[in-house]
Amino acid sequence: MPLYSADALVLRTYKLGETDRIVVFLTRDRGKKRGVARGAARSRRRFGGALEPMTRVRVAYFEKEQRELVSLDYAEPVRSPLSATDPDALGYVGYFAELIDETAPDADPSEPLFRLGAAVVEAMAQGVAADRLARYLEHWVLRLQGVSPSVTACQACGAALADEGAWLARPELVLRCRRCGGSGGPPDLSPAALGFLRQAALLPPERLGEVAFPPQVGRELERVHRVLIAAHLERELRSLRVLRDWAPNG
Ligand SMILES: [Zn+2]
């Protein structure tokens, strides 16, 4: 039975019987895996704090041909979201993990998705505010899935969107200028929100603290991303409801 070791991101766990846990994790090199962590439900000794969602870990696992479940030999935490200094961060951890889990194809390696998740964990640990990271992660997940609309030019006429903002056209789910898509109301994404996305495309997440992010920008991006993600996944994420119930100003 071959033994693999890998950099990975823990996405979620659930109990298997009285003593074991199933761990869903995204490896850097071999895609998403499901593994049995023997004894993890009974004792924390062997896997320590390594199985919390969004923990970056070093893992070793045995894989049998034709067998979907791998067997975890060990998992050692490398970076934990529990070290985040933003008090709101822990409420977002489940959402981040679910977003990555739902968009990571089974057994189809996506190193960019792993690197995105790992960079977000690192930024959390460095104290970047979780709501900025949420909008950043959503934007990049949509881009990696190839379903992010252009944030620079109107999809109907090609006009630049930066000055007046952008209107989300439905059901096409593309961004348009005021002339092509504006209904007379304010834009779905203001020039400031589009500015955040342009910066997010250029900066690593640990530098998001440098980018202007007024509350209104956060709300606009959250609404538009929610529509795009729900349309892409054809449902709303479970953890969004939890997050809404939990968020102090949600
Ligand atoms: Zn236009």
Side-chain angles (χ1 to χ4, degrees), residues 75-113:
E76 285 172 359
V78 175
R79 203 58 153 142
S80 168
L82 302 179
S83 59
T85 51
D86 177 357
D88 290 347
L90 293 185
Y92 281 88
V93 161
Y95 172 55
F96 292 175
E98 189 185 5
L99 190 55
I100 293 173
D101 187 13
E102 289 296 330
T103 50
D106 281 322
D108 181 7
S110 170
E111 196 190 351
L113 188 60

mmCIF file of all heavy atoms in Angstrom, residues 75-113:
data_model
loop_
_atom_site.group_PDB
_atom_site.id
_atom_site.type_symbol
_atom_site.label_atom_id
_atom_site.label_comp_id
_atom_site.label_asym_id
_atom_site.label_seq_id
_atom_site.Cartn_x
_atom_site.Cartn_y
_atom_site.Cartn_z
ATOM 1 N N ALA A 75 -1.209 13.670 10.839
ATOM 2 C CA ALA A 75 -1.460 15.020 10.331
ATOM 3 C C ALA A 75 -0.863 15.974 11.352
ATOM 4 O O ALA A 75 -1.191 15.922 12.536
ATOM 5 C CB ALA A 75 -2.955 15.280 10.182
ATOM 6 N N GLU A 76 0.049 16.806 10.885
ATOM 7 C CA GLU A 76 0.692 17.769 11.785
ATOM 8 C C GLU A 76 0.325 19.177 11.362
ATOM 9 O O GLU A 76 0.492 19.528 10.190
ATOM 10 C CB GLU A 76 2.218 17.655 11.684
ATOM 11 C CG GLU A 76 2.779 16.448 12.367
ATOM 12 C CD GLU A 76 4.275 16.288 12.059
ATOM 13 O OE1 GLU A 76 4.842 17.113 11.304
ATOM 14 O OE2 GLU A 76 4.843 15.326 12.578
ATOM 15 N N PRO A 77 -0.165 20.001 12.293
ATOM 16 C CA PRO A 77 -0.521 21.367 11.900
ATOM 17 C C PRO A 77 0.715 22.174 11.518
ATOM 18 O O PRO A 77 1.747 22.094 12.182
ATOM 19 C CB PRO A 77 -1.187 21.947 13.152
ATOM 20 C CG PRO A 77 -0.760 21.071 14.283
ATOM 21 C CD PRO A 77 -0.403 19.732 13.717
ATOM 22 N N VAL A 78 0.599 22.928 10.426
ATOM 23 C CA VAL A 78 1.664 23.840 10.002
ATOM 24 C C VAL A 78 1.228 25.279 10.290
ATOM 25 O O VAL A 78 1.999 26.095 10.767
ATOM 26 C CB VAL A 78 1.962 23.668 8.495
ATOM 27 C CG1 VAL A 78 2.974 24.698 8.004
ATOM 28 C CG2 VAL A 78 2.448 22.251 8.201
ATOM 29 N N ARG A 79 -0.049 25.565 9.992
ATOM 30 C CA ARG A 79 -0.597 26.887 10.260
ATOM 31 C C ARG A 79 -2.058 26.690 10.622
ATOM 32 O O ARG A 79 -2.790 26.002 9.916
ATOM 33 C CB ARG A 79 -0.485 27.746 8.995
ATOM 34 C CG ARG A 79 -0.492 29.227 9.243
ATOM 35 C CD ARG A 79 0.626 29.634 10.146
ATOM 36 N NE ARG A 79 1.062 31.000 9.934
ATOM 37 C CZ ARG A 79 1.433 31.815 10.913
ATOM 38 N NH1 ARG A 79 1.363 31.413 12.168
ATOM 39 N NH2 ARG A 79 1.857 33.029 10.638
ATOM 40 N N SER A 80 -2.469 27.306 11.727
ATOM 41 C CA SER A 80 -3.838 27.102 12.188
ATOM 42 C C SER A 80 -4.626 28.396 12.147
ATOM 43 O O SER A 80 -4.104 29.442 12.532
ATOM 44 C CB SER A 80 -3.813 26.566 13.624
ATOM 45 O OG SER A 80 -5.115 26.637 14.164
ATOM 46 N N PRO A 81 -5.888 28.338 11.706
ATOM 47 C CA PRO A 81 -6.709 29.551 11.762
ATOM 48 C C PRO A 81 -7.014 29.939 13.209
ATOM 49 O O PRO A 81 -7.461 31.051 13.466
ATOM 50 C CB PRO A 81 -7.986 29.152 11.014
ATOM 51 C CG PRO A 81 -8.080 27.680 11.187
ATOM 52 C CD PRO A 81 -6.651 27.177 11.233
ATOM 53 N N LEU A 82 -6.755 29.017 14.152
ATOM 54 C CA LEU A 82 -7.012 29.341 15.562
ATOM 55 C C LEU A 82 -6.038 30.387 16.076
ATOM 56 O O LEU A 82 -6.249 30.978 17.123
ATOM 57 C CB LEU A 82 -6.925 28.076 16.424
ATOM 58 C CG LEU A 82 -7.886 26.952 16.039
ATOM 59 C CD1 LEU A 82 -7.693 25.743 16.930
ATOM 60 C CD2 LEU A 82 -9.327 27.428 16.108
ATOM 61 N N SER A 83 -4.970 30.642 15.325
ATOM 62 C CA SER A 83 -4.033 31.682 15.748
ATOM 63 C C SER A 83 -4.438 33.054 15.212
ATOM 64 O O SER A 83 -3.730 34.039 15.403
ATOM 65 C CB SER A 83 -2.605 31.333 15.295
ATOM 66 O OG SER A 83 -2.545 31.198 13.889
ATOM 67 N N ALA A 84 -5.583 33.133 14.530
ATOM 68 C CA ALA A 84 -6.038 34.416 13.981
ATOM 69 C C ALA A 84 -6.297 35.404 15.107
ATOM 70 O O ALA A 84 -6.788 35.033 16.168
ATOM 71 C CB ALA A 84 -7.301 34.224 13.156
ATOM 72 N N THR A 85 -5.997 36.661 14.845
ATOM 73 C CA THR A 85 -6.211 37.679 15.874
ATOM 74 C C THR A 85 -7.546 38.407 15.704
ATOM 75 O O THR A 85 -8.027 39.040 16.624
ATOM 76 C CB THR A 85 -5.069 38.716 15.849
ATOM 77 O OG1 THR A 85 -4.929 39.175 14.500
ATOM 78 C CG2 THR A 85 -3.762 38.097 16.302
ATOM 79 N N ASP A 86 -8.131 38.343 14.510
ATOM 80 C CA ASP A 86 -9.434 38.966 14.292
ATOM 81 C C ASP A 86 -10.491 38.127 15.015
ATOM 82 O O ASP A 86 -10.659 36.951 14.720
ATOM 83 C CB ASP A 86 -9.727 39.013 12.780
ATOM 84 C CG ASP A 86 -11.114 39.578 12.472
ATOM 85 O OD1 ASP A 86 -11.868 39.883 13.420
ATOM 86 O OD2 ASP A 86 -11.433 39.699 11.275
ATOM 87 N N PRO A 87 -11.209 38.733 15.989
ATOM 88 C CA PRO A 87 -12.183 37.927 16.744
ATOM 89 C C PRO A 87 -13.295 37.360 15.861
ATOM 90 O O PRO A 87 -13.948 36.383 16.223
ATOM 91 C CB PRO A 87 -12.732 38.901 17.786
ATOM 92 C CG PRO A 87 -12.381 40.269 17.289
ATOM 93 C CD PRO A 87 -11.153 40.116 16.447
ATOM 94 N N ASP A 88 -13.542 37.975 14.693
ATOM 95 C CA ASP A 88 -14.583 37.462 13.796
ATOM 96 C C ASP A 88 -14.105 36.269 12.980
ATOM 97 O O ASP A 88 -14.902 35.572 12.356
ATOM 98 C CB ASP A 88 -15.011 38.546 12.787
ATOM 99 C CG ASP A 88 -15.781 39.669 13.470
ATOM 100 O OD1 ASP A 88 -16.185 39.475 14.642
ATOM 101 O OD2 ASP A 88 -15.974 40.713 12.833
ATOM 102 N N ALA A 89 -12.801 36.039 12.976
ATOM 103 C CA ALA A 89 -12.237 35.063 12.032
ATOM 104 C C ALA A 89 -12.824 33.670 12.215
ATOM 105 O O ALA A 89 -13.145 32.988 11.236
ATOM 106 C CB ALA A 89 -10.719 35.024 12.177
ATOM 107 N N LEU A 90 -12.988 33.249 13.477
ATOM 108 C CA LEU A 90 -13.404 31.866 13.694
ATOM 109 C C LEU A 90 -14.792 31.590 13.140
ATOM 110 O O LEU A 90 -15.088 30.492 12.704
ATOM 111 C CB LEU A 90 -13.338 31.523 15.180
ATOM 112 C CG LEU A 90 -11.905 31.522 15.717
ATOM 113 C CD1 LEU A 90 -11.879 31.064 17.160
ATOM 114 C CD2 LEU A 90 -10.988 30.654 14.862
ATOM 115 N N GLY A 91 -15.627 32.618 13.125
ATOM 116 C CA GLY A 91 -16.949 32.444 12.552
ATOM 117 C C GLY A 91 -16.902 32.189 11.057
ATOM 118 O O GLY A 91 -17.838 31.618 10.497
ATOM 119 N N TYR A 92 -15.849 32.616 10.413
ATOM 120 C CA TYR A 92 -15.739 32.479 8.968
ATOM 121 C C TYR A 92 -15.049 31.182 8.534
ATOM 122 O O TYR A 92 -15.103 30.819 7.359
ATOM 123 C CB TYR A 92 -14.929 33.645 8.395
ATOM 124 C CG TYR A 92 -15.705 34.933 8.243
ATOM 125 C CD1 TYR A 92 -15.792 35.842 9.271
ATOM 126 C CD2 TYR A 92 -16.337 35.222 7.038
ATOM 127 C CE1 TYR A 92 -16.500 37.030 9.126
ATOM 128 C CE2 TYR A 92 -17.044 36.405 6.878
ATOM 129 C CZ TYR A 92 -17.119 37.303 7.925
ATOM 130 O OH TYR A 92 -17.812 38.471 7.769
ATOM 131 N N VAL A 93 -14.376 30.532 9.464
ATOM 132 C CA VAL A 93 -13.549 29.388 9.092
ATOM 133 C C VAL A 93 -14.368 28.301 8.387
ATOM 134 O O VAL A 93 -13.970 27.776 7.346
ATOM 135 C CB VAL A 93 -12.842 28.835 10.361
ATOM 136 C CG1 VAL A 93 -12.366 27.421 10.133
ATOM 137 C CG2 VAL A 93 -11.668 29.730 10.729
ATOM 138 N N GLY A 94 -15.537 27.994 8.934
ATOM 139 C CA GLY A 94 -16.376 26.954 8.342
ATOM 140 C C GLY A 94 -16.842 27.335 6.945
ATOM 141 O O GLY A 94 -16.928 26.485 6.049
ATOM 142 N N TYR A 95 -17.118 28.610 6.755
ATOM 143 C CA TYR A 95 -17.555 29.089 5.441
ATOM 144 C C TYR A 95 -16.427 28.976 4.423
ATOM 145 O O TYR A 95 -16.619 28.487 3.307
ATOM 146 C CB TYR A 95 -18.051 30.533 5.557
ATOM 147 C CG TYR A 95 -18.344 31.190 4.228
ATOM 148 C CD1 TYR A 95 -19.225 30.597 3.321
ATOM 149 C CD2 TYR A 95 -17.733 32.389 3.869
ATOM 150 C CE1 TYR A 95 -19.484 31.196 2.095
ATOM 151 C CE2 TYR A 95 -17.997 32.987 2.653
ATOM 152 C CZ TYR A 95 -18.866 32.382 1.764
ATOM 153 O OH TYR A 95 -19.116 32.964 0.545
ATOM 154 N N PHE A 96 -15.241 29.413 4.798
ATOM 155 C CA PHE A 96 -14.096 29.321 3.890
ATOM 156 C C PHE A 96 -13.871 27.859 3.472
ATOM 157 O O PHE A 96 -13.652 27.552 2.303
ATOM 158 C CB PHE A 96 -12.823 29.857 4.551
ATOM 159 C CG PHE A 96 -12.818 31.337 4.813
ATOM 160 C CD1 PHE A 96 -11.770 31.924 5.494
ATOM 161 C CD2 PHE A 96 -13.853 32.144 4.377
ATOM 162 C CE1 PHE A 96 -11.748 33.296 5.734
ATOM 163 C CE2 PHE A 96 -13.853 33.513 4.609
ATOM 164 C CZ PHE A 96 -12.793 34.086 5.299
ATOM 165 N N ALA A 97 -13.893 26.985 4.481
ATOM 166 C CA ALA A 97 -13.616 25.571 4.202
ATOM 167 C C ALA A 97 -14.695 24.984 3.293
ATOM 168 O O ALA A 97 -14.393 24.215 2.372
ATOM 169 C CB ALA A 97 -13.531 24.791 5.510
ATOM 170 N N GLU A 98 -15.961 25.353 3.533
ATOM 171 C CA GLU A 98 -17.031 24.799 2.714
ATOM 172 C C GLU A 98 -16.941 25.318 1.275
ATOM 173 O O GLU A 98 -17.165 24.585 0.312
ATOM 174 C CB GLU A 98 -18.410 25.120 3.304
ATOM 175 C CG GLU A 98 -19.525 24.355 2.576
ATOM 176 C CD GLU A 98 -20.931 24.725 3.035
ATOM 177 O OE1 GLU A 98 -21.100 25.642 3.855
ATOM 178 O OE2 GLU A 98 -21.876 24.089 2.530
ATOM 179 N N LEU A 99 -16.599 26.587 1.149
ATOM 180 C CA LEU A 99 -16.468 27.176 -0.188
ATOM 181 C C LEU A 99 -15.395 26.428 -0.994
ATOM 182 O O LEU A 99 -15.588 26.097 -2.172
ATOM 183 C CB LEU A 99 -16.105 28.653 -0.033
ATOM 184 C CG LEU A 99 -16.140 29.555 -1.253
ATOM 185 C CD1 LEU A 99 -17.488 29.499 -1.946
ATOM 186 C CD2 LEU A 99 -15.815 30.994 -0.839
ATOM 187 N N ILE A 100 -14.282 26.142 -0.355
ATOM 188 C CA ILE A 100 -13.207 25.414 -1.048
ATOM 189 C C ILE A 100 -13.634 23.968 -1.304
ATOM 190 O O ILE A 100 -13.436 23.434 -2.399
ATOM 191 C CB ILE A 100 -11.909 25.489 -0.223
ATOM 192 C CG1 ILE A 100 -11.411 26.935 -0.206
ATOM 193 C CG2 ILE A 100 -10.847 24.552 -0.786
ATOM 194 C CD1 ILE A 100 -10.234 27.179 0.707
ATOM 195 N N ASP A 101 -14.250 23.362 -0.297
ATOM 196 C CA ASP A 101 -14.694 21.964 -0.449
ATOM 197 C C ASP A 101 -15.662 21.816 -1.615
ATOM 198 O O ASP A 101 -15.535 20.917 -2.452
ATOM 199 C CB ASP A 101 -15.363 21.534 0.870
ATOM 200 C CG ASP A 101 -15.707 20.050 0.895
ATOM 201 O OD1 ASP A 101 -15.213 19.306 0.023
ATOM 202 O OD2 ASP A 101 -16.469 19.640 1.786
ATOM 203 N N GLU A 102 -16.624 22.730 -1.702
ATOM 204 C CA GLU A 102 -17.664 22.607 -2.726
ATOM 205 C C GLU A 102 -17.128 22.871 -4.129
ATOM 206 O O GLU A 102 -17.721 22.446 -5.111
ATOM 207 C CB GLU A 102 -18.811 23.580 -2.432
ATOM 208 C CG GLU A 102 -19.642 23.196 -1.230
ATOM 209 C CD GLU A 102 -20.380 21.874 -1.433
ATOM 210 O OE1 GLU A 102 -20.725 21.560 -2.585
ATOM 211 O OE2 GLU A 102 -20.584 21.160 -0.438
ATOM 212 N N THR A 103 -16.033 23.617 -4.217
ATOM 213 C CA THR A 103 -15.539 23.944 -5.549
ATOM 214 C C THR A 103 -14.323 23.103 -5.936
ATOM 215 O O THR A 103 -13.880 23.173 -7.076
ATOM 216 C CB THR A 103 -15.187 25.449 -5.668
ATOM 217 O OG1 THR A 103 -14.357 25.821 -4.579
ATOM 218 C CG2 THR A 103 -16.442 26.291 -5.622
ATOM 219 N N ALA A 104 -13.800 22.312 -4.999
ATOM 220 C CA ALA A 104 -12.662 21.439 -5.324
ATOM 221 C C ALA A 104 -13.187 20.142 -5.906
ATOM 222 O O ALA A 104 -13.918 19.422 -5.238
ATOM 223 C CB ALA A 104 -11.840 21.147 -4.066
ATOM 224 N N PRO A 105 -12.845 19.833 -7.146
ATOM 225 C CA PRO A 105 -13.315 18.584 -7.708
ATOM 226 C C PRO A 105 -12.616 17.404 -7.033
ATOM 227 O O PRO A 105 -11.475 17.520 -6.594
ATOM 228 C CB PRO A 105 -12.921 18.680 -9.186
ATOM 229 C CG PRO A 105 -11.844 19.719 -9.240
ATOM 230 C CD PRO A 105 -11.998 20.613 -8.054
ATOM 231 N N ASP A 106 -13.312 16.279 -6.929
ATOM 232 C CA ASP A 106 -12.719 15.087 -6.334
ATOM 233 C C ASP A 106 -11.573 14.595 -7.211
ATOM 234 O O ASP A 106 -11.716 14.493 -8.423
ATOM 235 C CB ASP A 106 -13.769 13.972 -6.216
ATOM 236 C CG ASP A 106 -14.664 14.208 -5.015
ATOM 237 O OD1 ASP A 106 -14.152 14.669 -3.985
ATOM 238 O OD2 ASP A 106 -15.868 13.935 -5.131
ATOM 239 N N ALA A 107 -10.456 14.297 -6.567
ATOM 240 C CA ALA A 107 -9.333 13.637 -7.233
ATOM 241 C C ALA A 107 -8.886 14.354 -8.503
ATOM 242 O O ALA A 107 -8.432 13.742 -9.451
ATOM 243 C CB ALA A 107 -9.685 12.190 -7.559
ATOM 244 N N ASP A 108 -9.093 15.667 -8.529
ATOM 245 C CA ASP A 108 -8.624 16.434 -9.672
ATOM 246 C C ASP A 108 -7.731 17.530 -9.097
ATOM 247 O O ASP A 108 -8.222 18.491 -8.524
ATOM 248 C CB ASP A 108 -9.821 17.027 -10.424
ATOM 249 C CG ASP A 108 -9.374 17.823 -11.639
ATOM 250 O OD1 ASP A 108 -8.169 17.805 -11.954
ATOM 251 O OD2 ASP A 108 -10.234 18.468 -12.259
ATOM 252 N N PRO A 109 -6.434 17.367 -9.180
ATOM 253 C CA PRO A 109 -5.534 18.296 -8.502
ATOM 254 C C PRO A 109 -5.746 19.732 -8.957
ATOM 255 O O PRO A 109 -5.893 20.000 -10.140
ATOM 256 C CB PRO A 109 -4.137 17.815 -8.919
ATOM 257 C CG PRO A 109 -4.328 16.408 -9.343
ATOM 258 C CD PRO A 109 -5.711 16.311 -9.900
ATOM 259 N N SER A 110 -5.823 20.628 -7.988
ATOM 260 C CA SER A 110 -5.904 22.049 -8.305
ATOM 261 C C SER A 110 -4.946 22.755 -7.374
ATOM 262 O O SER A 110 -5.312 23.169 -6.283
ATOM 263 C CB SER A 110 -7.328 22.571 -8.104
ATOM 264 O OG SER A 110 -7.322 23.991 -8.204
ATOM 265 N N GLU A 111 -3.684 22.854 -7.794
ATOM 266 C CA GLU A 111 -2.723 23.509 -6.917
ATOM 267 C C GLU A 111 -3.085 24.973 -6.674
ATOM 268 O O GLU A 111 -2.911 25.467 -5.562
ATOM 269 C CB GLU A 111 -1.296 23.372 -7.448
ATOM 270 C CG GLU A 111 -0.328 23.712 -6.336
ATOM 271 C CD GLU A 111 1.114 23.848 -6.776
ATOM 272 O OE1 GLU A 111 1.431 23.512 -7.924
ATOM 273 O OE2 GLU A 111 1.915 24.302 -5.941
ATOM 274 N N PRO A 112 -3.604 25.705 -7.686
ATOM 275 C CA PRO A 112 -3.988 27.097 -7.396
ATOM 276 C C PRO A 112 -5.010 27.212 -6.265
ATOM 277 O O PRO A 112 -4.932 28.128 -5.442
ATOM 278 C CB PRO A 112 -4.580 27.575 -8.727
ATOM 279 C CG PRO A 112 -3.900 26.744 -9.757
ATOM 280 C CD PRO A 112 -3.704 25.390 -9.122
ATOM 281 N N LEU A 113 -5.955 26.283 -6.205
ATOM 282 C CA LEU A 113 -6.961 26.334 -5.139
ATOM 283 C C LEU A 113 -6.307 26.066 -3.783
ATOM 284 O O LEU A 113 -6.612 26.726 -2.786
ATOM 285 C CB LEU A 113 -8.079 25.325 -5.422
ATOM 286 C CG LEU A 113 -9.288 25.396 -4.505
ATOM 287 C CD1 LEU A 113 -9.962 26.764 -4.568
ATOM 288 C CD2 LEU A 113 -10.299 24.299 -4.848
#
